[in-house]
Amino acid sequence: DPPPPPTIVVTANLAVDFRAPFREGSEAVVRVYHDGTEGRKIYFSAVLESLDGRVVFAEAKSLFVRVRLESVMGKKEKKGVEEDMKKEKQ
C-alpha cells in the first residue's frame, strides 16, 4: 500500500475571552488541555492565569483541523515542507 498523503493541522477557530488585565512585566502560566478528537477535528482549551492560580487573565477554546498538505499549499511550498518532514524523521 502507498503511504497516506502528507497532512498538516490548521487553525479553524480560535475564541479568546479576556477576563482581567495582564500588565507588562507580569508572570503567568498557560495551561492547555486537549478536549478531544473527532476524526480530523482536534479540540483544545486553554487558560492564562497568575502563578498562584488566583487570577484568570484569559480563557480560550480552539478547533484545529487536519487537512491534506496539497489543499493548502502550492506545489513549490508543498515540496519544501515534505523535504523538511523527511529530514525531521531522520
Side-chain angles (χ1 to χ4, degrees):
D1 290 336
T7 60
I8 61 170
V9 177
V10 297
T11 307
N13 186 287
L14 175 61
V16 180
D17 293 318
F18 298 98
R19 304 288 184 205
F22 185 75
R23 308 269 184 234
E24 182 179 352
S26 298
E27 294 183 345
V29 175
V30 177
R31 299 186 193 282
V32 179
Y33 305 95
H34 174 234
D35 297 329
T37 301
E38 297 174 8
R40 298 182 311 124
K41 297 178 180 180
I42 308 165
Y43 299 89
F44 290 96
S45 57
V47 178
L48 176 66
E49 62 188 19
S50 60
L51 296 178
D52 61 10
R54 293 192 299 172
V55 179
V56 174
F57 299 109
E59 297 176 302
K61 291 203 170 282
S62 60
L63 166 62
F64 294 84
V65 179
R66 183 174 298 280
V67 296
R68 287 185 177 193
L69 186 60
E70 63 193 29
S71 68
V72 293
M73 294 188 163
K75 289 181 182 180
K76 186 176 182 179
E77 293 171 308
K78 179 183 165 192
K79 184 176 181 179
V81 171
E82 286 176 337
E83 289 172 1
D84 290 344
M85 291 169 74
K86 285 178 185 176
K87 290 177 187 174
E88 288 177 7
K89 289 182 182 180
Q90 295 175 350

